[in-house]
Amino acid sequence: MRFADAALRLAGLAGVTFGWSPEAFWRATPAELGALVRALAGEEVAPLGAAELARLEERFGDGRG
């Protein structure tokens, strides 16, 4: 399958499944799309460790990112 064909298919699936617009799909990272797919698949995700939580709180603690 060509990249363009696969991307078109994924964009359509993201729109139907997550309500994403084409712009939202193209702005998203593969990690963001993968996280949503894993959540739907029910895969277990390891909880955040203390260091990772502290890093996220430092970066996003004020809600502005």
Side-chain angles (χ1 to χ4, degrees):
M1 179 179 286
R2 293 177 344 161
F3 173 81
D5 296 332
L8 182 62
R9 183 170 184 266
L10 282 173
L13 289 171
V16 170
T17 306
F18 308 122
W20 284 9
S21 66
E23 179 183 348
F25 172 79
W26 287 109
R27 285 189 351 208
T29 66
E32 291 168 331
L33 180 58
L36 291 173
V37 170
R38 282 190 303 278
L40 284 179
E43 294 180 26
E44 281 191 41
V45 177
L48 291 177
E52 180 69 5
L53 181 58
R55 186 186 70 76
L56 290 171
E57 287 176 339
E58 181 178 321
R59 184 168 179 199
F60 299 105
D62 64 359
R64 293 184 298 151

